[in-house]
Amino acid sequence: AGTLMAVWHRDNTGEGQHVDVSMQEALSINQETAMQTYDMLKAIRTRTGARGLIPIDIPGIGVYECADGQVFAYLGSPGGAPWTVMLDWMNREGKAEDLNEEPYISLIRELHLRFLTSLTQEPAKLPERIKNLGHIYGVFSRFCATMPKWTLYEEGQKQRLMFGIVSTPEDLAKNPQLKARHWLQQVAHDHLGATVDYAGPPYRLHETPWAIRSRAPLPGEHNTDVFTG
């Protein structure tokens, strides 16, 4: 959308401009694939719960309780470090329990999306695998429960382990990256005698900057303008 706006500006003025897009800011108003799912499948997206589309507990995938909140983990996925790196971290913290023993260590070495999508191809092995995955899931959950969410996120990122904080409104208001980019916008609310932080733009155009020009309207505030203007 930011690029299209810059092209439209170019067509009207003959001048280009720099488009700055932060993935984090764009995702703040993310709808994922809800619209495309309906366009292509005529299906309305629904919540799948913490397990996602695979109806068993997969170690390192999903929402996990921490010492002070929650994180979303997506370990073993393309683009991130393998599960063995997570195990090394748990070993350093002395919280790997028995995961370095069989049958768990062999299973951990295979914990990636290709393995997960082939789980049902060997039905005879499925019950034992589900049992062993459940054990690894429990050990990993206990590890997460001892760690602050920012520690899991920041230390995990250093090791290419895919953790994200399940942010509360307070977390977003204090997020250091959003603060560094001055994303939150203060808007005066005269009827409150205070300013309120509003969400900022998903993209920034250098020559035609985005801005909030007024606060959100009060109920019925613009009725006259709408019905008679």
Side-chain angles (χ1 to χ4, degrees), residues 47-54 56-58 61-64 72-73 137:
R47 292 178 183 269
T48 59
R51 286 180 168 182
L53 297 176
I54 302 176
I56 60 175
D57 292 324
I58 303 298
I61 295 180
V63 179
Y64 292 86
F72 185 86
Y137 180 92

Side-chain angles (χ1 to χ4, degrees), residues 21 23-24 39 76 84 124 127 161 177 192 201 204 207 216:
V21 180
M23 286 189 289
Q24 182 186 33
D39 286 342
T84 48
L161 294 166
Q177 174 66 8
L192 298 177
R204 305 180 190 219
E207 298 296 332

Side-chain angles (χ1 to χ4, degrees), residues 62-225:
V63 179
Y64 292 86
E65 296 290 335
C66 304
D68 57 352
Q70 296 175 319
V71 293
F72 185 86
Y74 206 54
L75 307 185
S77 58
W83 229 103
T84 48
V85 175
M86 184 70 241
L87 181 59
D88 290 341
W89 185 10
M90 296 169 72
N91 282 324
R92 291 195 299 272
E93 297 288 335
K95 296 173 183 174
E97 299 184 25
D98 57 357
L99 295 189
N100 294 289
E101 302 171 9
E102 294 294 352
Y104 311 118
I105 185 64
S106 294
L107 195 54
I108 283 172
R109 292 178 182 135
E110 294 182 336
L111 269 178
H112 45 66
L113 288 186
R114 186 169 64 252
F115 166 74
L116 295 176
T117 55
S118 65
L119 266 177
T120 58
Q121 294 179 7
E122 296 181 90
K125 295 182 179 180
L126 189 57
E128 181 182 1
R129 283 179 169 175
I130 290 177
K131 178 183 175 181
N132 293 336
L133 286 171
H135 179 77
I136 298 170
Y137 180 92
V139 176
F140 178 72
S141 297
R142 290 190 287 275
F143 170 79
C144 291
T146 66
M147 307 288 282
K149 58 190 175 186
W150 278 95
T151 300
L152 278 172
Y153 170 67
E154 292 179 338
E155 292 301 316
Q157 292 291 312
K158 291 177 184 177
Q159 301 173 71
R160 293 181 53 248
L161 294 166
M162 299 181 72
F163 283 100
I165 293 174
V166 179
S167 294
T168 65
E170 182 181 1
D171 291 331
L172 291 174
K174 295 179 178 179
N175 185 283
Q177 174 66 8
L178 295 179
K179 279 183 172 291
R181 288 180 57 82
H182 307 289
W183 182 68
L184 291 168
Q185 307 287 310
Q186 289 196 332
V187 179
H189 280 242
D190 296 338
H191 63 291
L192 298 177
T195 59
V196 176
D197 284 340
Y198 277 47
Y203 42 76
R204 305 180 190 219
L205 304 181
H206 183 261
E207 298 296 332
T208 52
W210 175 96
I212 295 177
R213 293 178 172 82
S214 66
R215 57 167 171 76
L218 301 175
E221 180 177 355
H222 297 138
N223 282 1
T224 300
D225 293 336

